[in-house]
Amino acid sequence: MLEGALGPSLTKADGCATCYNSNKADACVACLTSDAPCASCALQLPSGNGRSPDVASCIDCSKRLGPRYAQSCLACAALGSQQPQQVSKCLTCLDRMSKVACDSTGYLSGCWNPATKYSTCATCASSASSYDTCVSCLLAKPLSENCEACTTITDSSKQAQCYKCSAAARHPGSGCTDCLSYLSDAGQAQQCIECLQSPKIGTEGKQWCFGCQNWCKDKQGRTQCEACLGTKHASYTQACACK
């Protein structure tokens, strides 16, 4: 293995031990020596517990989905070092997401680019209270930052509320997570969520629903602020923030 890998790159030889311990050793070495995207599968370091990523699954994933998915496949395989049972969930998510993937790299583009949002499926598989709910969120259009962000809410009931908010809001930002994570007052959090779900407020305006909760000290002011979000402005902070 070392003799084969040393030719093209000394660095690639670092993956030989991983290949040797993989149940797809020959395929693993072929990745290293051909400089294929799946070579990165063998170059991942073991975790602190000594377990290595699921190299075989990573190779299969990379070959099946192509170079653009290399980092996403790695993120799934990395779960093998901590939560091996989550790898298949992550890979299933990738297969489903590949049907709605895009090449956009813009902020809040509203769609999924596997080359830039490569941790998305791994997050659903490892951190969501409900894997199915998380994946359903990912498949909805537009893609919302909430799909990953909601998983940071450790309370399962609030996490479910976060996903419910996201489905109703249909907004690419992480507003639902912000409302539920950073507003300790239940009334404010609910008002913030209702703002995100309002059909009277457009995509740009909804980006500032959480802002109204911070800009205004009382409910009346926040209500006026949210009404202001329903109209298009060059600067929402100047037009809608409480004075």
Side-chain angles (χ1 to χ4, degrees):
M1 289 183 182
L2 281 169
E3 289 172 353
L6 282 171
S9 169
L10 180 62
T11 303
K12 293 292 176 63
D14 292 339
C16 289
T18 301
C19 287
Y20 181 77
N21 292 309
S22 168
N23 58 11
K24 286 203 171 186
D26 290 342
C28 184
V29 173
C31 291
L32 288 174
T33 56
S34 64
D35 201 30
C38 55
S40 55
C41 296
L43 295 172
Q44 302 306 296
L45 296 175
S47 66
N49 60 19
R51 294 179 186 164
S52 295
D54 189 333
V55 176
S57 292
C58 182
I59 291 173
D60 289 342
C61 175
S62 296
K63 288 184 174 181
R64 183 174 70 256
L65 297 177
R68 197 157 60 110
Y69 289 80
Q71 292 300 314
S72 293
C73 291
L74 275 173
C76 287
L79 296 177
S81 63
Q82 298 291 336
Q83 304 180 66
Q85 72 277 12
Q86 305 295 356
V87 175
S88 61
K89 284 186 174 183
C90 185
L91 294 174
T92 298
C93 172
L94 279 188
D95 286 336
R96 295 179 68 184
M97 289 298 292
S98 67
K99 308 298 190 299
V100 296
C102 72
D103 294 316
S104 175
T105 57
Y107 177 62
L108 299 182
S109 64
C111 65
W112 182 70
N113 184 335
T116 58
K117 297 181 181 295
Y118 52 84
S119 65
T120 304
C121 282
T123 299
C124 279
S126 62
S127 303
S129 296
S130 170
Y131 165 79
D132 291 331
T133 301
C134 188
V135 174
S136 293
C137 179
L138 294 176
L139 292 169
K141 294 182 180 181
L143 175 70
S144 173
E145 296 291 327
N146 283 308
C147 298
E148 279 194 80
C150 284
T151 66
T152 63
I153 301 176
T154 55
D155 183 300
S156 59
S157 62
K158 288 185 72 173
Q159 190 178 123
Q161 185 181 5
C162 184
Y163 280 117
K164 184 177 180 180
C165 166
S166 184
R170 300 181 63 82
H171 185 267
S174 60
C176 294
T177 307
D178 296 336
C179 293
L180 290 165
S181 295
Y182 304 118
L183 295 173
S184 56
D185 182 87
Q188 276 191 261
Q190 183 58 36
Q191 186 179 20
C192 186
I193 287 173
E194 289 172 357
C195 173
L196 286 164
Q197 296 175 346
S198 173
K200 297 180 181 180
I201 302 175
T203 300
E204 292 182 5
K206 287 183 179 182
Q207 190 67 13
W208 301 99
C209 285
F210 180 71
C212 284
Q213 300 300 317
N214 290 321
W215 296 334
C216 307
K217 295 181 179 180
D218 55 54
K219 185 174 182 179
Q220 181 180 354
R222 294 190 291 270
T223 299
Q224 292 174 346
C225 177
E226 290 172 2
C228 174
L229 298 183
T231 305
K232 190 174 180 61
H233 301 284
S235 172
Y236 286 90
T237 55
Q238 291 182 4
C240 301
C242 292
K243 308 302 181 184

